[in-house]
Amino acid sequence: MILDNISTQGIFLIVVISLGLLYIFNKILLFLLTRVVDSKQLPADLFNAIKVLTRFALAMVWIYITIVVLNLAESTVIGLSVILGSVLSFASIYTIQNFVSGLYILTTEPFSVNDLVRIGASEGVVIEISLNYTRLLNFDGMVESIPNKKILGSSIINYDQPITSTSKSENFIDSIKQQFDDTEVTKYTFVWGTPLIDYRNIIDRLDSICEEYQDIFGYRPTYLPYTINHRFEFSFILKADDPMTILRHKTDFLDKISLQFH
Amino acid sequence: MWYVDTSPPLILKILLFTITISLIWLGGRLLKRRLDKRSTRRNFEAKNLVKLLISTAQLILVILATLFIFEVESTTFLSFSALIGTTIGFGLAVAVGNVVAGFYLIGVRPFGIGDFIQVGSIEGIVTEIGLNYTKLIGMDSTVILVPNKTLLDAKLLNCTMRLRELEGRSQVGHDLDFDQLASELSYRDGKGFFQEFKQELSESDEFTKYSFQIQLKLNIVSPDIALSSVVERMDALCKRWKKQLGFMPRYYFGKNIFRQDMQVILVASEPITLVHNHGAFLADLYQSVFAELQEVTT
């Protein structure tokens, strides 16, 4: 090799200089890319991906230069790459766990798309179950992404439950059809406390609002005493055919109830 | 590569790789967007599945492109596959852990179907112990899915008990209210082996204790409601509810910081009775303990 006769100081110098050159090269490339983004409206995530990729590629080039300059033996390179490989695969365990968890959720079906669910502390309608994340549209109209792996470990309340038809069909074909009919009803519950006043009075006020919202939800909202502390807490039960109805009107419903008491 | 005699330089390979990856990524994105725009029908499940398939295909394409462009040899691929296998194995461990935990729960039986349990902040009646999740019906009759692994890890309180077990413990002095419960259940120990065997199999001596804390704001009216009158009212209430539940509700006072804490224990032979009656009991309790409040506003 040409580099055979170079002294240790020389090798060190080459490694450092190549690092510096690559750094400057990276900067120039980024500068050019930014100009492209500005002028041609390149999507931001593509830009980001290119940025990450170039950095990765440059790091690889630098490692390659170092290996050549240091004139490492083949066995050493293989040894190092095995270590690097193990590190990489161990580091990607989390990613792969997310992937496996996604498949697991899709097969065991604790919930499916368009269900109103509560996962840990997050509540919302499931809009997508992807390989890495499950996305929930929450009550604020924002999309929460929950890593699939997290979902596997947390308790889930699925407010969407299939309606078990009480009337058994005589016809065999019809009964099979019923099995595949996924008519679901969403039954969402939340707790809210009224001030400590006369019980009859509380009931009257709550009933008037529930009456009002019967048409909006399609079912009459109901409530049950939940606990007593500095307020009398009720657990409210909202029922609707479409989870989005609840997502849209729950906050209004609670506003109306709060206004009744304050 | 087979169609060129000499392999192209590394820079070219990297460039080719970058372009291919970008194309795969862009293609997938476009397809997904099209899917969202074109199908306005509400077939959420199918759409999600197709999106997932696109993502998986993208992943496989990227791996294939890497193998092909960088001319990865089969031996290298093999040595890497061992690592990848380990990784997938670790990934699967979470899922498999739940299944193993499910079998464990069925085998060890810390609780059975129909028992009322409390795990952390979750409470409910067990309706199904599945391979992955245990299904509970909560106090507000929502269906709660608890991962089996969580159940295995957590502190578990089974509120459903059998009087037979209590009896055994009462003989060594480890019981609180066995005599009272036995009289309420009209429980008689079977005479003879056959009788005892029959009793062992039947679950007629099962009962569920549901304990919860409430806080009484006794200074809400002036003068304050005296604790002695709370006791009077509670005793009358408990007598009323004994008819409904079959068992006398119990209560005791706790700390008094701003409000008087009170622990209430409802007992019934079927846990579902507790779920059905809990709300009505609280409403009755509120009306009788805060009797002054009802008079003030009406």
Side-chain angles (χ1 to χ4, degrees):
Chain A
M1 267 192 136
I2 352 154
L3 299 168
D4 273 353
N5 320 338
I6 296 178
S7 60
T8 331
Q9 288 99 322
I11 291 172
F12 184 69
L13 211 65
I14 291 176
V15 170
V16 172
I17 288 174
S18 63
L19 186 62
L21 279 178
L22 283 173
Y23 180 75
I24 293 166
F25 181 64
N26 183 29
K27 281 281 164 199
I28 294 171
L29 212 68
L30 270 185
F31 172 72
L32 289 177
L33 264 175
T34 326
R35 288 190 57 176
V36 174
V37 172
D38 283 346
S39 59
K40 287 198 179 138
Q41 300 281 307
L42 203 71
D45 19 357
L46 184 62
F47 174 56
N48 191 54
I50 292 172
K51 228 159 80 176
V52 172
L53 275 178
T54 43
R55 255 185 223 157
F56 183 72
L58 288 177
M60 281 295 155
V61 171
W62 185 66
I63 288 171
Y64 183 72
I65 289 173
T66 317
I67 288 171
V68 170
V69 169
L70 289 180
N71 207 4
L72 292 176
E74 200 174 324
S75 54
T76 322
V77 176
I78 289 175
L80 283 177
S81 72
V82 165
I83 292 175
L84 197 72
S86 334
V87 168
L88 271 180
S89 53
F90 266 103
S92 51
I93 280 179
Y94 191 83
T95 322
I96 291 187
Q97 272 181 346
N98 254 344
F99 174 78
V100 173
S101 307
L103 293 181
Y104 182 79
I105 289 167
L106 281 166
T107 45
T108 59
E109 272 202 303
F111 53 81
S112 42
V113 181
N114 202 37
D115 281 0
L116 181 59
V117 294
R118 183 193 179 96
I119 300 168
S122 315
E123 275 183 330
V125 172
V126 181
I127 52 173
E128 194 190 341
I129 305 168
S130 76
L131 287 181
N132 315 300
Y133 293 103
T134 292
R135 284 179 225 285
L136 296 184
L137 180 67
N138 67 13
F139 280 99
D140 300 337
M142 289 190 275
V143 177
E144 277 179 51
S145 299
I146 308 173
N148 286 336
K149 199 194 158 217
K150 269 236 161 93
I151 292 176
L152 224 59
S154 38
S155 302
I156 299 163
I157 298 179
N158 190 346
Y159 294 114
D160 276 45
Q161 289 301 325
I163 306 167
T164 41
S165 54
T166 41
S167 60
K168 271 214 171 157
S169 177
E170 300 281 316
N171 194 331
F172 179 69
I173 309 263
D174 275 358
S175 67
I176 285 188
K177 257 190 193 166
Q178 265 180 1
Q179 285 293 313
F180 286 96
D181 212 15
D182 55 338
T183 37
E184 288 190 334
V185 70
T186 309
K187 211 173 105 189
Y188 174 72
T189 61
F190 67 94
V191 173
W192 188 80
T194 70
L196 300 172
I197 54 167
D198 173 31
Y199 185 70
R200 282 276 116 229
N201 200 333
I202 296 176
I203 299 299
D204 288 345
R205 293 184 197 196
L206 291 181
D207 275 345
S208 71
I209 302 295
C210 288
E211 195 91 19
E212 194 183 313
Y213 270 81
Q214 181 162 9
D215 293 337
I216 295 172
F217 288 121
Y219 298 86
R220 193 192 154 98
T222 51
Y223 52 86
L224 269 173
Y226 178 71
T227 187
I228 303 168
N229 42 49
H230 65 294
R231 291 168 82 86
F232 192 0
E233 292 193 1
F234 285 88
S235 123
F236 290 86
I237 302 158
L238 304 179
K239 240 167 126 184
D241 286 328
D242 184 6
M244 283 311 292
T245 318
I246 289 175
L247 210 65
R248 281 196 194 102
H249 299 291
K250 178 244 168 174
T251 42
D252 289 345
F253 175 75
L254 190 53
D255 286 354
K256 280 270 170 64
I257 294 219
S258 304
L259 278 172
Q260 280 285 320
F261 290 95
H262 300 287
Chain B
M1 283 178 241
W2 82 91
Y3 50 84
V4 271
D5 290 344
T6 49
S7 186
L10 188 67
I11 295 294
L12 209 67
K13 279 187 189 174
I14 290 174
L15 201 70
L16 192 64
F17 180 70
T18 317
I19 292 170
T20 321
I21 298 287
S22 308
L23 277 179
I24 292 170
W25 177 78
L26 251 171
R29 205 181 143 112
L30 272 179
L31 273 176
K32 282 185 199 170
R33 274 287 284 285
R34 239 178 117 78
L35 191 75
D36 267 341
K37 274 196 176 168
R38 281 291 284 278
S39 68
T40 43
R41 280 188 53 211
R42 298 154 56 80
N43 45 356
F44 301 104
E45 291 294 313
K47 241 193 240 181
N48 194 68
L49 193 71
V50 173
K51 271 190 194 171
L52 208 75
L53 283 179
I54 293 173
S55 303
T56 320
Q58 273 178 301
L59 201 70
I60 292 171
L61 276 178
V62 168
I63 292 171
L64 284 180
T66 320
L67 292 181
F68 186 69
I69 292 171
F70 291 109
E71 298 168 65
V72 180
E73 282 168 38
S74 58
T75 45
T76 322
F77 182 68
L78 266 180
S79 61
F80 265 102
S81 73
L83 286 176
I84 293 168
T86 318
T87 320
I88 291 179
F90 267 104
L92 270 172
V94 189
V96 176
N98 261 334
V99 177
V100 173
F103 277 115
Y104 182 82
L105 285 176
I106 292 168
V108 175
R109 271 185 66 90
F111 55 81
I113 309 284
D115 286 3
F116 191 96
I117 60 168
Q118 288 179 321
V119 191
S121 58
I122 299 160
E123 52 189 26
I125 304 171
V126 181
T127 56
E128 188 188 320
I129 305 173
L131 278 183
N132 312 294
Y133 292 98
T134 293
K135 238 184 221 179
L136 304 180
I137 300 254
M139 284 310 269
D140 50 4
S141 62
T142 45
V143 179
I144 309 165
L145 296 175
V146 188
N148 288 336
K149 242 183 130 187
T150 311
L151 281 174
L152 218 60
D153 284 342
K155 194 175 72 183
L156 196 88
L157 187 67
N158 191 345
C159 305
T160 304
M161 285 163 274
R162 296 192 68 177
L163 204 65
R164 304 195 128 260
E165 287 162 19
L166 266 193
E167 188 191 19
R169 272 184 272 145
S170 80
Q171 277 157 7
V172 286
H174 287 171
D175 76 305
L176 276 181
D177 47 3
F178 171 73
D179 293 333
Q180 196 187 345
L181 281 167
S183 69
E184 281 170 337
L185 246 174
S186 63
Y187 166 77
R188 272 200 322 275
D189 204 0
K191 288 268 154 55
F193 180 74
F194 188 65
Q195 199 78 5
E196 251 182 81
F197 187 69
K198 235 169 83 181
Q199 262 184 353
E200 192 64 49
L201 287 181
S202 83
E203 294 187 333
S204 59
D205 62 332
E206 259 189 10
F207 64 93
T208 301
K209 264 184 172 183
Y210 176 57
S211 169
F212 58 93
Q213 195 191 49
I214 56 171
Q215 295 181 319
L216 304 174
K217 197 174 180 181
L218 297 175
N219 57 359
I220 189 135
V221 287
S222 172
D224 296 1
I225 303 170
L227 211 54
S228 57
S229 51
V230 174
V231 172
E232 263 169 44
R233 289 162 190 178
M234 279 304 291
D235 285 345
L237 178 85
C238 289
K239 246 178 220 154
R240 273 207 300 283
W241 278 86
K242 188 185 184 244
K243 279 182 204 127
Q244 191 97 2
L245 300 172
F247 293 84
M248 185 81 117
R250 292 107 162 107
Y251 68 92
Y252 58 89
F253 295 117
K255 278 182 190 163
N256 186 342
I257 305 167
F258 302 113
R259 292 176 290 273
Q260 176 65 53
D261 286 358
M262 185 164 77
Q263 198 75 25
V264 181
I265 304 168
L266 294 181
V267 191
S269 43
E270 290 294 330
I272 196 77
T273 321
L274 296 175
V275 174
H276 287 328
N277 287 297
H278 175 247
F281 177 82
L282 271 181
D284 198 0
L285 187 147
Y286 179 73
Q287 278 167 289
S288 30
V289 171
F290 294 103
E292 283 86 350
L293 211 61
Q294 318 299 324
E295 283 157 23
V296 166
T297 33
T298 39

